[in-house]
Amino acid sequence: MRQSHQLPLVGLLLFSLIPSQLCEICEVSEENYIRLKPLLNTMNQSKYTRGTSSSANVLLSLQLVGIQNQNLKQKLIQQIKYTVKMRLSQVSSGELALIILALGACRNPDENLIYDYHLIDKLENKFQAEIENMEAHNGNPLTNYYQLSLDVLALCLFNGTYSTTKVVNYFTPENKNYYFGSQFSVDTGAMAVLALTCVKRSLINGQVKTDESNLKNISIYIKSLVEKILSEKKENGLVGNTFSTGEAMQALFVSSDYYHENDWNCQQTLNTVLTEISQGAFSTPTAAAQVLPALMGKTFLDVNKDSSCVSAAGNFSNSTHEPVTVTTPGSQSSISVNYSVTINETYSANVTVPNGSVFLDVMEKAQKMNDTIFGFTMEERSWGPYITSVQGLWASNNDRTYWELLSGGIPLSQGVGSYVVHDGENLEVRWSKY
Ligand code: CBY
């Protein structure tokens, strides 16, 4: 073929490649649904005992993607009902926001619970308490900005009352609450983009009235947060880390007006997440629940769409009773690690645990060896156990202090309940500020 004939062909080839780069929402294709199976298995096999805070995360995720697993959904709704009836006062603002989103998703009958139990009013109160805490404690909320964003999102989607001016005042992209130390929190920024996008849309639709400058500022904030999120994009396509990528994808889906199509290769991100799934990265129900919607092209802003969220994925979870690979600690062999607690001084011990143990097993073993030095407390959060105190020294949101987990001096990206330790590793819990 002569050169002049090849040219149009090359042009055609290039043209046919472009659409995959252009995607605003890219999602897993039907023939690849099977690759999502490990996520559903994780959600299915979890126990969801009373008061489990992962229930709302999982229910919301299943509703959004239109999975018809009635058994699991009923179990989760029972859980949530129990929480609403028995311990609503102990539930944090963001947790309540998630409950509202989960119950209200996609015109389902359980939506009534929101109104029967006045959950929107209660969320308004919890949001107000967050703001009051910020005013009293140097700008630090009771929880964090990830939860404040969930609050605004739920109030916005379910016609609750909130002040647009307050949102504009508190959500400036320079606010310290988007950062842990000097590190921008992609999870937090992504949730804020979803919340601000909802607020922006209600202002544009005229559902909520405000002055022009608020709308303008919200657009400026979204743009700046999207830039920060994109600057955390890694070479392999993950945004932030494995666990923030799903939420970052949701934020980028709804904000495609604010970045150039070449700034983000959605397909690459999607493929890397699928690889991570196959390597067992999303092993807790919350991790699985948070990544799933984005993979199916859904965002939290789809929650109050008038449709009932039925999708092609509808039944693909019905055969989840296949054997699953549970990582059992290999043989009975033992490993030993170096474990330290650092406040100003460092207290260390050599700890021997069975192969396959998690960080928490090491802490428990050390505590048995010396309760004064290695004694600790924890509480159950949606991601698993969270260390609240060591040696009687308590983490505090008002002071922005916490017990940081590290291995070889590098912060871990998993909690004590899921991080599997290795022989010879140097593990540390360090008294830190964020
Ligand atoms: N959710 C929340 O309120 C949590 C919001 C969140 C931004 C969250 C990550 C993101 C998410 N998608 O849920 C968050 N973490 C926060 C706010 C915090 C702070 C908690 C205190 C506060 N002000 O609310 C704080 C102290 C900075 C923090 N996370 C600490 C830690 C460490 C916990 C150590 C301990 N004491 O037990 C740890 C382990 C980091 C470390 N090296 O010490 C940590 N977080 C991790 C790893 C994570 C990720 C969990 C991933 C996993 N597979 O287990 C996380 C998803 C998450 C939960 N934290 Co914080 C971030 C990530 O890696 N992408 C709403 C509620 C209703 O559920």
Side-chain angles (χ1 to χ4, degrees), residues 145-146 149 171 178 187-197 222 225:
Y145 261 36
Y146 181 89
S149 302
F171 281 84
Y178 288 111
D187 312 68
T188 308
M191 202 50 79
V193 166
L194 290 168
L196 292 169
T197 304
I222 295 174
L225 289 169

Side-chain angles (χ1 to χ4, degrees), residues 143-144 147 187 241 290 382-383 387 403 405 412-413 434:
T143 62
N144 52 61
Q147 297 204 28
D187 312 68
N241 65 16
Q290 288 193 358
S382 57
W383 285 84
I387 303 302
W403 284 98
L405 314 179
L412 295 178
S413 55
Y434 58 85

Side-chain angles (χ1 to χ4, degrees), residues 53 57 92-96 98 141-147 150 180 185 187-188 191 241-245 247 281 284 286-287 290 381-383 385-388 395 397 401-406 410-416 418 434:
S53 46
N57 264 308
S92 68
S93 71
E95 219 180 305
L96 177 55
L98 276 174
L142 287 171
T143 62
N144 52 61
Y145 261 36
Y146 181 89
Q147 297 204 28
L150 280 171
F180 299 138
S185 161
D187 312 68
T188 308
M191 202 50 79
N241 65 16
T242 307
F243 307 107
S244 54
T245 299
E247 288 174 341
T284 64
T286 299
Q290 288 193 358
R381 297 252 171 115
S382 57
W383 285 84
Y386 175 84
I387 303 302
T388 45
N397 288 355
T401 49
Y402 76 116
W403 284 98
E404 185 178 18
L405 314 179
L406 306 103
I410 296 166
L412 295 178
S413 55
Q414 279 175 288
V416 285
S418 35
Y434 58 85

Side-chain angles (χ1 to χ4, degrees), residues 220-237:
I220 294 171
Y221 295 1
I222 295 174
K223 184 164 200 304
S224 161
L225 289 169
V226 166
E227 271 164 22
K228 288 174 200 269
I229 291 170
L230 284 172
S231 70
E232 295 296 329
K233 193 180 54 182
K234 307 292 181 260
E235 218 154 83
N236 62 5

